[in-house]
Structure formats: structure tokens, C-alpha cells
Amino acid sequence: MKQIKSIICITLFLFQASTVFCQQNFSRLQPDAHAIGLGGSGVALTFDPSAIYWNPANIAFLTRDRIFINITDSLHFNYFAFTKFFPPSISLGLSFCQPRDVYYEQEFATLALAYRAAPYFSLGTNFNVMRTSDDDIYTSFGVGLFFKSYPAYRTTIPTSPSFWELLTSRNMKDKLNFGVTLHNIPINYNDRNYELRAAVALKPVVTGPMFHFAYHASRDTFSFHPGIQVPFFKGTEFYFGIKDLNPEEFAVGGTTQWGPFQMNLSYNAGDSRIYASLLIRLSEEENVLLQKHRNLGTERLKEDNFNAALSEYLKALSYQPDNDEMNYLVSV
């Protein structure tokens, strides 16, 4: 109970304190310290609610409900987001950006929906609404897909595996991510740029660094965003990125975890600012949630309610798709 009260108090304090100014071009928004530290992109390596903006398909893999807040050293940027997972395959997200400035004001709100079609693949979309200080309303939407290498359940190990079987083997777990999204497609206006974003993240070895390469292209501009993320010790990582390989556009940052809290801090040389993001996990651990639905499935099975039992087992499986026991129960 004390932990819940602390989470609520911290959330309300940061949300009220962050009186900030959002960038006018929605496609130039950078709502989290982690993506900024990686060079300004989070298309294939964002597993927090800011994925609502970067690639809505990513939130299908956020199996624990989360709150996310981002600010800068001078409270120049305010971004608040929340995601909720509905097992076995649906995730909803909501984000809000409310700047307050004497000369200029805008408000952004985004609603996202994602569907996990397989343990390694998801689709997502978002709907964006922007209100200016003149009370003009602009709307847009985005679509994205996300792929991650994740072991497929197999009863036998093939002697001569195909490329796909190698890609979904246990040795490839979380070593490859690929994301692509078409962002900010206008609905009721035509004078704003939509943007195509594609990215790949590679992790050659289990305990080694993750490399992230992203490319953003619109009608007027394009940019390249390479970055690297290196684990330091348990719960702590450092990352570095450089936009368009320009030394004046480098960024650096780090992340640390403490219980249900995760803090990201980064510095961007391009605008000489420090960004801070706070992630708060609201749900129980994934293994606890898995066991909860497994027990419910067993109870339904004892009642000879096979459809309800299967539904609960599928929910349990969504938290650990490579769990051998749950895969066996589902197959039975």
C-alpha cells in the first residue's frame, strides 16, 4: 500500500510540475530520454509507453501496465503516457503532451492500439489530435509493425533447420528487432509532413551491446540515427547515439532500475539539454501473472469448461510465449 501511494504521489507531482513547451512539428517530437540518447530514434528499441509515439506496434509487448513521464533540465518538455495490456494479445496506450507558454501553446493527445499476432510479430496504430492556441484542431494517424526474434515452441529440434527455424530458435531470443512505421499521416490537413521510419536493432551476444540503426524520411528531409546500448551491471545500462554521424549531434545517457521504477537520463549536444524519463510499472511480475491465469485455467478445467480453460491458458502464455509447460497445456 505504501508503494502504491508513493507511485501516485510521484506521478501527480511530476505531471503538475512539468510545465513545458512541445515542438510545433509533431514529427520532430522526441518524448523520451532513452531514444534521445540513442541518437534520436526509438522505432525498434523502445519498450515503454513512449512507443505510442515511436512505433505503436511495440506496445503489444508491454505485458505490464506502465506510466511514463519525460521532462528536461528546465522543464522544457512534458510528455505523459500510459499503457495497459489485455491478455493474450491486445494493448492500449494513451499519451498526452500539454505545453504552457506565454507566446505559444499546443496540446497533443494520442490513442494507440496494438495487436500481437504471434510471439514475435505485432501490428499497431495510433490516432493523434493536436489543438493550437487558436483552437484549431489537427488530426493524424500512424501505422506500424514490429518483429523480434523469439523462440517458437517446438516438440523436436530439427536436424537441418531452415532460416526461419534458426531465426526463431532459443539461441536467437531478443537478439534481433525490426520495426517500421508510417507516422503522422494527415487526416484533416495536408500542409504537414508524414514520415516513414524504419529501424533494426542487433544484439550479437547475450550479454553484449545492442546496436540500433534507424532511418527517418519525409517529403522534405531524411536522417540517420545510429546508436549503441551497453549493459553495465544488473538493472543499469549506458547508451550513445549520433544523428547523421554529425559530431555536433551526439547524445549519451544511461538507465537504472529500482523496484517498479526505471529512470533514464540523457544529454543531447544538438540542443544542449538534459532529458529525464521516469517509468513506473504498475502490474505484478510476469511470472506472478502467468501463475494467476494458469491457476484459473486449471479451475475451469476441473469444471469441464474447456473453452474458458483454454482462454486462461492463452492469457498465461502471453506473458512467457516460450514457456514449455504452458505451450503443452494449450496444445492439449
Side-chain angles (χ1 to χ4, degrees), residues 298-316:
T298 302
E299 292 177 9
R300 301 290 88 81
L301 197 60
K302 292 177 180 178
E303 299 168 357
D304 291 334
N305 191 341
F306 299 108
N307 287 332
L310 178 60
S311 176
E312 293 297 336
Y313 286 154
L314 287 172
K315 291 178 182 179

Side-chain angles (χ1 to χ4, degrees), residues 64-129:
R64 298 167 65 186
D65 302 342
R66 309 174 188 213
I67 289 176
F68 180 87
I69 301 163
N70 186 76
I71 60 175
T72 68
D73 52 359
S74 58
L75 296 181
H76 181 78
F77 198 94
N78 181 13
Y79 187 82
F80 176 86
F82 170 77
T83 56
K84 182 170 182 59
F85 180 59
F86 297 91
S89 56
I90 300 293
S91 286
L92 290 177
L94 178 66
S95 66
F96 182 66
C97 178
Q98 185 179 32
R100 298 179 179 89
D101 187 81
V102 176
Y103 303 104
Y104 178 78
E105 182 174 335
Q106 282 189 127
E107 293 178 348
F108 296 99
T110 300
L111 179 66
L113 172 67
Y115 173 71
R116 192 196 305 178
Y120 46 80
F121 178 72
S122 63
L123 302 167
T125 184
N126 59 22
F127 175 72
N128 313 293
V129 178

Side-chain angles (χ1 to χ4, degrees), residues 27-319:
S27 290
R28 302 291 181 261
L29 204 64
Q30 294 193 46
D32 68 300
H34 181 242
I36 292 170
L38 280 171
S41 181
V43 177
L45 201 57
T46 299
F47 296 104
D48 59 55
S50 67
I52 293 171
Y53 171 79
W54 290 113
N55 186 356
N58 290 22
I59 69 172
F61 290 92
L62 301 182
T63 56
R64 298 167 65 186
D65 302 342
R66 309 174 188 213
I67 289 176
F68 180 87
I69 301 163
N70 186 76
I71 60 175
T72 68
D73 52 359
S74 58
L75 296 181
H76 181 78
F77 198 94
N78 181 13
Y79 187 82
F80 176 86
F82 170 77
T83 56
K84 182 170 182 59
F85 180 59
F86 297 91
S89 56
I90 300 293
S91 286
L92 290 177
L94 178 66
S95 66
F96 182 66
C97 178
Q98 185 179 32
R100 298 179 179 89
D101 187 81
V102 176
Y103 303 104
Y104 178 78
E105 182 174 335
Q106 282 189 127
E107 293 178 348
F108 296 99
T110 300
L111 179 66
L113 172 67
Y115 173 71
R116 192 196 305 178
Y120 46 80
F121 178 72
S122 63
L123 302 167
T125 184
N126 59 22
F127 175 72
N128 313 293
V129 178
M130 183 189 74
R131 183 179 68 87
T132 68
S133 57
D134 298 325
D135 289 330
D136 293 326
I137 302 296
Y138 297 98
T139 56
S140 66
F141 73 98
V143 293
L145 60 85
F146 179 72
F147 169 85
K148 62 181 298 186
S149 57
Y150 205 95
Y153 176 70
R154 297 185 179 94
T155 56
T156 60
I157 300 176
T159 55
S160 300
S162 64
F163 174 77
W164 179 253
E165 288 170 332
L166 287 172
L167 198 60
T168 56
S169 66
R170 291 188 182 274
N171 293 332
M172 284 297 295
K173 183 177 180 179
D174 297 331
K175 287 187 176 182
L176 171 66
N177 299 336
F178 172 76
V180 60
T181 178
L182 195 56
H183 172 72
N184 199 35
I185 305 170
I187 296 177
N188 70 329
Y189 59 94
N190 295 314
D191 60 339
R192 308 211 171 207
N193 284 344
Y194 58 86
E195 192 172 44
L196 176 66
R197 299 169 174 172
V200 61
L202 303 171
K203 190 174 185 180
V205 294
V206 176
T207 58
M210 174 76 84
F211 300 92
H212 186 262
F213 304 94
Y215 184 80
H216 298 182
S218 65
R219 290 181 297 180
D220 303 323
T221 61
F222 62 89
S223 56
F224 178 53
H225 306 263
I228 181 173
Q229 180 171 302
V230 182
F232 186 61
F233 55 86
K234 185 176 181 180
T236 302
E237 295 179 317
F238 293 101
Y239 38 86
F240 172 84
I242 181 168
K243 180 181 177 182
D244 292 327
L245 302 179
N246 183 351
E248 297 181 356
E249 293 285 343
F250 81 90
V252 63
T255 180
T256 185
Q257 296 183 21
W258 176 66
F261 303 98
Q262 178 178 313
M263 186 72 179
N264 283 281
L265 190 67
S266 65
Y267 171 75
N268 184 13
D271 56 12
S272 300
R273 287 192 175 277
I274 296 175
Y275 295 81
S277 298
L278 176 65
L279 175 66
I280 306 172
R281 298 180 180 88
L282 304 179
S283 302
E284 299 172 291
E285 296 289 339
E286 291 182 343
N287 59 339
V288 175
L289 295 170
L290 181 149
Q291 193 63 37
K292 173 184 174 181
H293 288 290
R294 183 194 182 283
N295 293 340
L296 288 173
T298 302
E299 292 177 9
R300 301 290 88 81
L301 197 60
K302 292 177 180 178
E303 299 168 357
D304 291 334
N305 191 341
F306 299 108
N307 287 332
L310 178 60
S311 176
E312 293 297 336
Y313 286 154
L314 287 172
K315 291 178 182 179
L317 187 63
S318 67
Y319 293 102

